[in-house]
């Protein structure tokens, strides 16, 4: 069964990793949000892409979910000592990917080509694709004005109140090479438990499913909100500030007519009856590697029964 997973950072990477433990590598393509990308300290940084690649390569930091395991922080400590910005924690190992990506981008290589080469170097089996090779930049409109995503998320720790989002460059961003082909060959599309507003929406806007795949295979979403809280990141806070009660139900409504099935956590079982499409109620909290594979297996089983 050929699966395309749409993913943001940590939650998306975990489910993608679970899927990678079950599916043959040629049957899994992960399309990753690049709206969080930014330029910092002269480097081109693609946090979600790196989180997915590190996770699939077994190199990720298990505690934070982002960055590298066994990390040290000498370079960024020196940047601070010299008076530079240290609010975005770039570890010594992690710096290697940003240096090499920036070098290659400056030579004119595309983000998708660079990602393919990095994945090959790390022995990552599934295909990992940026949603686009064109620059898309998520801007968070807040009560303190517009903020680039990482400025809002990391520097300001999501403190300003959210008013809305826009994705600069999205109108002209083409899907990266391989994205349309993967979608057209897919037996199912999984929206990973990533932030619907800032991780999945930009991907959906770039790939334009209605025109790319007029007769799409089953699309299933896994809720990133469990018991009204996000496992990681600001999705629940965003919903609340936009006047929507944060819940798995709100996530199901967010995706509206797109879905054929919806996966929510056992703690939210009572919401099941309010969701007018087939649902799977299961443990969606991925605390360890086994949880990732177990959830992936359950989602694949659910999809097979939908078809
Ligand atoms: N997230 C943080 O909360 N603080 C950081 O200092 C930070 C550094 C960082 C470095 C490299 C990288 O690939 C990701 C990093 N992240 C950090 C995570 C990242 O900014 C966000 O999790 C995503 O953009 C949201 O999906």
């Amino acid at each position: 069964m050929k699966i395309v997973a749409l993913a943001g950072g940590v939650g998306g990477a975990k489910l993608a990793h679970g899927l990678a433990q079950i599916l043959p590598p040629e049957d899994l393509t992960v399309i990753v949000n690049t709206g969080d990308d930014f330029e910092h300290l002269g480097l081109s940084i693609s946090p979600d892409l790196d989180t997915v690649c590190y996770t699939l390569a077994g190199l990720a930091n298990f505690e934070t979910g982002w960055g590298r395991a066994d990390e040290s922080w000498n370079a960024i400590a020196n940047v601070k000592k010299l008076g530079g910005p240290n609010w975005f924690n770039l570890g010594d190992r992690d710096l290697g990917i940003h240096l090499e990506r920036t070098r290659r981008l400056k030579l004119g290589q595309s983000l998708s080509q660079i990602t393919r080469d990095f994945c090959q170097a790390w022995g990552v089996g599934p295909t990992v694709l940026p949603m686009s090779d064109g620059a898309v930049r998520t801007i968070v409109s807040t009560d303190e004005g517009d903020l680039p995503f990482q400025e809002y998320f990391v520097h300001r720790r999501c403190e300003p109140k959210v008013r809305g989002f826009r994705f600069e460059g999205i109108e002209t961003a083409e899907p990266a090479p391989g994205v349309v082909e993967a979608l057209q060959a897919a037996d199912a599309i999984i929206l990973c438990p990533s932030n619907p507003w800032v991780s999945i929406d930009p991907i959906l806007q770039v790939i334009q499913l209605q025109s790319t795949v007029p007769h799409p295979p089953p699309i299933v979403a896994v809720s990133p909100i469990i018991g009204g809280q996000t496992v990681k990141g600001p999705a629940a806070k965003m919903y609340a500030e936009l006047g929507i009660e944060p819940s798995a139900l709100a996530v199901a409504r967010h995706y509206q007519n797109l879905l054929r099935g919806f996966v929510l956590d056992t703690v939210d079982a009572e919401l099941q009856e309010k969701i007018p499409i087939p649902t799977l109620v299961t443990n969606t909290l991925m605390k360890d590697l086994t949880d990732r594979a177990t959830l992936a297996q359950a989602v694949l089983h659910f999809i097979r029964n939908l078809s």
Side-chain angles (χ1 to χ4, degrees), residues 113-170:
Q113 186 185 343
I114 296 166
T115 305
R116 189 180 58 223
D117 290 349
F118 288 177
C119 283
Q120 197 175 357
W122 285 323
V124 171
T127 302
V128 180
L129 299 171
M131 64 185 191
S132 177
D133 281 334
V136 176
R137 296 292 178 263
T138 298
I139 306 292
V140 186
S141 302
T142 76
D143 58 349
E144 298 180 28
D146 286 357
L147 294 171
F149 183 76
Q150 298 299 340
E151 190 73 33
Y152 162 81
F153 185 74
V154 178
H155 202 184
R156 300 298 318 280
R157 298 165 196 268
C158 308
E159 277 162 15
K161 282 204 174 63
V162 171
R163 300 272 176 264
F165 311 94
R166 62 172 205 279
F167 308 113
E168 276 180 7
I170 203 115

